[in-house]
Each structure stands twice: as structure tokens, then as C-alpha cells.
Amino acid sequence: MISNINTIASAKKTILSQSYSISKLIDFIDVNFTESVNLIYNCKGRIIITGIGKSAIIAQKIVATLNSTGTPSIFLHASEAIHGDLGMLQDQDVVICISKSGNSPEIKILVPLLKRFGNKLISITGNVNSFLGKEADYTLNTFVESESCPNNLAPTNSTTAQLVMGDAIAVCLMEMRNFTTTDFAKYHPGGALGKKLLLRVHSILDENHKPQVSPESSIKNVIIEISEKRLGVTAVVENQKVIGIITDGDIRRMLNKTETIAGLKAKDIMTHNAKSIKSSDLVSDAMDIMENYSITQLVVIDDQEFKGVIHLHDILKEGII
């Protein structure tokens, strides 16, 4: 049984080995890279990414990254390509082929077929002098001195290098397209990420239960309103405009300072200049305001009209955090 110390040392050695291999990629960013990115950027078709073995798995990840950042891409398994899947290839598509050695049997069969179709071919390989490296129109070098595998066999550093090269391409394309969070949201409508980017305040606002009292309301009525609406707060509204808020914390602080509540009105204990948000704003923006000011409720106001209150619990229910 390996000791914990040896396990930690091995893990650290692996991470250092991979980080070193990635850092060396900087030396390989040259005109081939810029020409490849420009080719992809100007592509009128799709980006077809292919590979075999572990490289095929990396290809799938790069496809997913490109699709989610505005570059239509399709994965083509190198072995399946020569058994009919080449039919997905269209005239204006650009092909990226990933292979560490660049000399695997499947690649040697596939590349001439791709060339016959006339599509531009970009290679991502650890051997620029390989069959793939020489046949490609542009070659991106992902050479690594060794794998972090103790036998220098299992693809580790080499696949990480391929992945990082793909990410570098994707980020360059995002910058060239001025790809924004709004654009990103179009491709990520589901799950917590989609909600964070798309969900608006009005979607979770209950306008039928908006706590409000007038400035002249008694403290008893204020307490009743806060209790009934169960949001821990009530807005103080005059002529449909919010002039202040009262939280259950304000009530507690008032009771600590005051012997009697007789004669006190809502306007006497309300907080002016309440933090607010519009119903059209993102729920994530509401969350940011709550975090910045250490509060759990926000008044929702549209064109100076009181629309309701959004509570931290409403946001938590949506699973955004």
C-alpha cells in the first residue's frame, strides 16, 4: 500500500509535469496558429474535428467549447469517417485533425480522403514531421517532452496540450467576435448557468403578495403586514411610490429602544433610500446587490411604481447559487 506522502508527492509531480508541458506551448504559437484561427473565423461552413483514441475525446470537448461560443462544430470519429461518416463533410467546412503521433493507421487512411474532398485541413499534433503534420494546410504543434505517466505511455501531458491548444483557438475566436455574456446565454439556456444568464426578476416576483403600508400606518399594522406577507419586510408606499422600507430587523431594533409603540407610525421607523431593482433586470444582478450590501430583500420598482419585493429565498429556490 502506497503511503499518503507518496500519493501526494505523485499528484504534485503530475501537476507540475503537465503545467510545464502546457507552458512550453507558448513557443509553438506562430503564423500557423494565426492563419488557422483566421481560417476558422472566416469559415462559411462548420468546423469538423476528428481524431482517434484519447485524441477523439479531446476533439469532442473542443467541439463542445466551440459550439457554446459561437463556432458551429461537429465531431467526426476518424475510424467511423472511413465507414460512411465522411458524408457529413460539406464543401465549405474546415477540418481539424488531432493526433499525438500523426502517424496512426486511421489517420493515414483518413487524411488523403479529406484532401480529396478539397477541404482545408488543420492538424493538432505532437509531431510536426509526421504524415499528418506534413499533409495538413496548417499544423499546430503540441509536442510534449514526456507524459506524466510513470511509463511514459498513457496520454496525459499530450492530451492536456491538445485541449489547451483548442481552448486557445476558442478564446481567440470569442475575442474576434466580441462574444459577450448575452451571446453565451443564447447557447446555455438550461441549468443553473442558464438561469444566471437569462432569468429576470419578473419571472420570480409574486406581485399578488407585495407587502406595503402607508406612511401613517400604525406599528401594529406594519407588524401584521410583514407577518402576513412573510418576506421579512414591507415597503412604505405613498402615491404608488416607495418612500422607504421597514424590515423585521427595524422592528426589533425599535422595540429595544422604545418603551411604547403608541403613537408611532411607519414613517417614524422606516429606512429611506431603499435598495431597489427593476423587474426586467437579471436575478443574478439582484443577487449581486444583496451580497454587496449584506441584505436579503430588494424592492422592485418600475418607472417609480412599486411592483413587489424579491427575497434571497426566491433566488435560492431557483438553484442559481
Side-chain angles (χ1 to χ4, degrees):
M1 181 176 176
I2 300 176
S3 70
N4 290 339
I5 294 176
N6 289 338
T7 299
I8 292 172
S10 178
K12 289 182 176 180
K13 181 180 177 182
T14 300
I15 293 170
L16 287 172
S17 176
Q18 297 225 4
S19 64
Y20 173 77
S21 295
I22 293 170
S23 68
K24 295 298 290 182
L25 290 181
I26 294 174
D27 298 332
F28 304 142
I29 301 300
D30 56 14
V31 67
N32 276 274
F33 183 85
T34 58
E35 291 294 331
S36 296
V37 171
N38 286 330
L39 179 64
I40 296 170
Y41 177 74
N42 293 308
C43 176
K44 303 301 182 184
R46 295 89 40 86
I47 308 303
I48 309 298
I49 308 183
T50 186
I52 194 77
K54 303 299 188 296
S55 295
I57 298 172
I58 298 301
Q60 292 178 69
K61 192 277 176 184
I62 296 174
V63 164
T65 299
L66 290 177
N67 278 327
S68 67
T69 53
T71 301
S73 305
I74 298 176
F75 169 68
L76 173 64
H77 197 283
S79 63
E80 297 299 327
I82 59 180
H83 291 286
D85 281 2
L86 270 176
M88 72 171 63
L89 197 60
Q90 298 178 1
D91 292 342
Q92 294 183 315
D93 294 343
V94 170
V95 181
I96 299 176
C97 187
I98 306 175
S99 171
K100 176 186 176 181
S101 71
N103 288 316
S104 63
E106 295 86 357
I107 296 299
K108 287 187 175 181
I109 295 174
L110 177 60
V111 168
L113 296 175
L114 294 172
K115 300 286 284 185
R116 188 183 305 169
F117 275 81
N119 299 80
K120 289 292 184 179
L121 175 62
I122 300 169
S123 71
I124 297 179
T125 181
N127 183 2
V128 296
N129 294 314
S130 64
F131 178 80
L132 174 60
K134 291 180 178 179
E135 289 295 318
D137 295 291
Y138 303 102
T139 295
L140 306 184
N141 192 351
T142 53
F143 171 77
V144 297
E145 293 180 3
S146 63
E147 304 288 3
S148 52
C149 163
N151 299 313
N152 195 28
L153 294 173
T156 45
N157 295 6
S158 58
T159 47
T160 302
Q162 293 168 354
L163 185 61
V164 170
M165 187 65 75
D167 286 343
I169 293 171
V171 171
C172 288
L173 291 168
M174 290 175 69
E175 292 177 349
M176 292 170 73
R177 292 194 172 95
N178 295 316
F179 198 82
T180 65
T181 53
T182 301
D183 297 317
F184 196 79
K186 295 177 184 177
Y187 305 110
H188 296 78
L193 179 58
K195 286 184 177 181
K196 183 176 181 179
L197 295 171
L198 294 172
L199 192 65
R200 305 284 171 175
V201 169
H202 62 74
S203 299
I204 64 173
L205 180 65
D206 185 358
E207 293 192 36
N208 294 321
H209 294 82
K210 52 183 184 180
Q212 58 181 304
V213 295
S214 72
E216 299 299 323
S217 294
S218 66
I219 299 302
K220 178 181 178 180
N221 287 337
V222 169
I223 294 173
I224 291 173
E225 182 70 0
I226 292 176
S227 299
E228 287 184 348
K229 300 301 168 59
R230 306 175 75 173
L231 289 172
V233 67
T234 182
V236 182
V237 179
E238 186 174 42
N239 298 324
Q240 287 298 309
K241 294 181 180 179
V242 176
I243 62 172
I245 63 166
I246 302 173
T247 66
D248 50 10
D250 292 327
I251 297 293
R252 289 193 298 272
R253 284 186 287 273
M254 175 206 64
L255 293 175
N256 283 333
K257 296 177 181 179
T258 308
E259 294 294 332
T260 176
I261 63 173
L264 284 177
K265 306 292 184 182
K267 63 183 180 182
D268 299 322
I269 66 168
M270 70 181 185
T271 299
H272 297 272
N273 302 317
K275 297 295 181 290
S276 65
I277 196 165
K278 295 185 293 185
S279 64
S280 59
D281 288 341
L282 289 170
V283 171
S284 59
D285 292 335
M287 185 67 225
D288 289 340
I289 295 173
M290 291 181 188
E291 288 183 339
N292 289 337
Y293 291 97
S294 300
I295 56 178
T296 57
Q297 309 101 339
L298 275 178
V299 177
V300 182
I301 300 174
D302 288 341
D303 297 324
Q304 298 187 330
E305 181 181 351
F306 176 55
K307 291 294 184 179
V309 172
I310 182 174
H311 195 283
L312 176 62
H313 293 164
D314 300 322
I315 300 175
L316 294 176
K317 287 178 184 177
E318 296 297 328
I320 291 178
I321 302 175

